[in-house]
Amino acid sequence: MRIVVIFVWAAAFSWVTAHAGERTVYRGRLGTQDVVLELERNGDRFDGRYFYQRIGVNIPLRGTAQALAEALALYDRESQENLSESGPIFENPRTGKPAGVWSGRISGDRYAGTWRDARNNRGITFDLRRVAVYTTETPMEEAWDWLGDAMDEGAITMARVPYNYLRMHEARLTEGGEVAFGAVAYRMVTDPRTRFAYPRLTRHPDAAVLARTNAELEQRHWRMNNDALACSATAYTSTGPEAGTLANLDDENIQVTYLSPTLMSLVQAGSSGCGGAHPNNHFDPLTLDLRRGGEFDFNRILNADEPPDEDGRRALTPPFAAYIAALVQKMETLPGEDGGICPEMLGQYLGLYFDEDGKLAFAVSGVPHVVGVCLGKVASVPLRDLGALLRPTVAEYFPGQRFD
């Protein structure tokens, strides 16, 4: 069973006017700070953005190479009256000045000059070198909005999205202690800019599996980091209550629940969001197949799903649906257990993962906001209790165990 979770937070913006096109990425130093800057030509002018590597938050830019204005952050705006609810502000409504101005010259692959603080005219030299040119279908104004960055689920690579790749790849992670499970082990690592920890394998009998799994974990961690930093950048584009926050991703609870040479399960839970009618309350299990790579298909060991229909939807097989119904009935009759609607939602909002000692955990996942209280694990059972639902291939993932 493949569990796919897509984070969607509602937002609207009506200020997209430019067309997607070619972007040029520069990296170098602004004074003593490492920065990455991206420009997109719009006629005889540029739209752009940049970030300080140690902070990672996008700051919008607009103007010419000789006078590239930097947007005002929410806390720099003199007054919130009559300001747009979305979109950057490049001039202080009282002084007519931007927050800062890049005054430089593009010559070959070099962009160099002086950045000046518009408030005190203090100047800092910058010297940047072109490191990438790429084409994107996302207009720069859409990239200024957090949705434009956060909802891109593609791989973050230097060839595809060099600006975001440099922001993630160059981060200096802090490492937690190693947690061992026999021949395999992991540790949690944290990007200090976003403050939540995500796992990496540290030991595995097969070096290729170690590298492949960590590449998958890294991409998932990077996408979460990118979402958090995209929301933080709304300090320059929004006056909403979540503007400038990390979308509450810094409060995520991410735990590895099971690890073996063949499988890795983790659960991510929290209440995240960067605007919209309500937060994204979630309990999202994920299991990685360390034998084959990618997400684990529970149909490899269980008679769980029917073949997909023409729309790609997969219904539970009658035997598995009957097993879940019996499990729900048991949950409703046990003293002290929730006898309400939550267990009954398993059939429609089922999330599977492996719990301690390799037990199969059944969770309610992906429910509508109004029943978010039902999110979470409902039960976990030893695999041998699944009886005829198990396929012979279960032995490939749990070698040495008996299931009769």
Side-chain angles (χ1 to χ4, degrees):
M1 176 173 296
R2 180 180 174 87
I3 307 298
V4 180
V5 179
I6 301 176
F7 295 98
V8 178
W9 292 288
F13 46 92
S14 58
W15 37 272
V16 176
T17 57
H19 298 288
E22 187 176 82
R23 295 189 193 172
T24 303
V25 180
Y26 298 87
R27 69 181 301 186
R29 306 275 282 185
L30 171 56
T32 62
Q33 300 291 318
D34 294 322
V35 298
V36 176
L37 181 147
E38 181 177 70
L39 295 177
E40 178 181 273
R41 185 176 292 277
N42 185 7
D44 59 352
R45 300 172 68 82
F46 293 105
D47 291 325
R49 54 183 179 167
Y50 82 100
F51 62 83
Y52 294 91
Q53 189 67 60
R54 65 182 179 84
I55 300 174
V57 176
N58 293 334
I59 303 173
L61 300 168
R62 173 168 281 171
T64 65
Q66 298 78 26
L68 196 59
E70 183 174 307
L72 279 74
L74 181 65
Y75 51 78
D76 283 333
R77 298 176 185 177
E78 298 292 332
S79 171
Q80 297 305 307
E81 295 179 3
N82 301 319
L83 293 183
S84 171
E85 287 294 323
S86 61
I89 304 297
F90 290 99
E91 290 186 357
N92 185 302
R94 184 176 62 84
T95 66
K97 295 181 178 180
V101 177
W102 298 67
S103 299
R105 180 171 179 266
I106 297 176
S107 178
D109 67 350
R110 185 184 183 200
Y111 180 33
T114 301
W115 177 92
R116 292 193 179 279
D117 188 323
R119 293 163 294 190
N120 55 28
N121 207 35
R122 183 171 65 94
I124 304 174
T125 60
F126 68 87
D127 194 348
L128 313 179
R129 298 285 176 171
R130 183 177 62 209
V131 294
V133 177
Y134 73 110
T135 301
T136 175
E137 297 180 357
T138 304
M140 180 59 72
E141 285 92 336
E142 190 172 328
W144 286 337
D145 182 88
W146 89 278
L147 277 178
D149 257 349
M151 298 309 295
D152 184 355
E153 293 297 316
I156 299 176
T157 65
M158 186 66 182
R160 182 175 173 273
V161 281
Y163 178 83
N164 283 336
Y165 174 83
L166 291 171
R167 178 163 55 170
M168 301 304 158
H169 184 263
E170 303 297 322
R172 297 179 180 179
L173 304 179
T174 58
E175 298 183 344
E178 186 180 62
V179 181
F181 291 83
V184 291
Y186 76 95
R187 74 170 78 249
M188 302 298 284
V189 300
T190 303
D191 185 331
R193 302 171 301 180
T194 55
R195 303 194 292 273
F196 64 86
Y198 207 82
R200 299 288 193 281
L201 287 186
T202 55
R203 278 187 274 160
H204 192 281
D206 188 327
V209 172
L210 181 77
R212 181 184 66 211
T213 304
N214 278 339
E216 172 76 14
L217 292 169
E218 181 180 72
Q219 281 291 321
R220 291 176 178 275
H221 191 188
W222 282 3
R223 284 196 290 270
M224 283 186 63
N225 281 335
N226 194 63
D227 289 357
L229 292 172
C231 187
S232 189
T234 59
Y236 297 92
T237 61
S238 174
T239 57
E242 288 86 11
T245 72
L246 291 168
N248 290 322
L249 289 172
D250 47 329
D251 288 330
E252 287 287 281
N253 183 8
I254 301 168
Q255 296 183 341
V256 176
T257 61
Y258 179 77
L259 180 62
S260 75
T262 60
L263 294 163
M264 182 180 191
S265 281
L266 56 146
V267 169
Q268 177 179 332
S271 180
S272 53
C274 194
H278 51 73
N280 177 39
N281 300 324
H282 56 277
F283 183 93
D284 301 325
L286 168 69
T287 297
L288 297 180
D289 187 334
L290 304 193
R291 297 185 73 247
R292 291 174 170 82
E295 289 189 43
F296 179 60
D297 183 353
F298 281 87
N299 287 289
R300 294 194 180 280
I301 66 168
L302 288 173
N303 179 22
D305 287 347
E306 298 281 12
D309 61 19
E310 59 183 14
D311 295 321
R313 294 188 294 257
R314 302 176 74 165
L316 298 180
T317 62
F320 194 46
Y323 179 88
I324 292 175
L327 183 65
V328 168
Q329 182 65 31
K330 180 181 178 182
M331 293 296 297
E332 291 179 343
T333 58
L334 285 176
E337 297 290 349
D338 183 358
I341 65 169
C342 292
E344 294 180 358
M345 303 184 76
L346 273 179
Q348 184 177 0
Y349 298 100
L350 177 64
L352 296 176
Y353 63 100
F354 294 104
D355 211 341
E356 56 184 299
D357 301 324
K359 293 179 179 179
L360 184 64
F362 294 77
V364 174
S365 177
V367 298
H369 175 74
V370 292
V371 287
V373 68
C374 292
L375 289 165
K377 183 174 72 173
V378 173
S380 59
V381 299
L383 284 175
R384 64 178 178 271
D385 289 359
L386 293 164
L389 288 169
L390 293 175
R391 300 183 189 275
T393 47
V394 68
E396 298 177 9
Y397 289 92
F398 296 89
Q401 294 190 30
R402 298 189 61 179
F403 301 100
D404 50 15

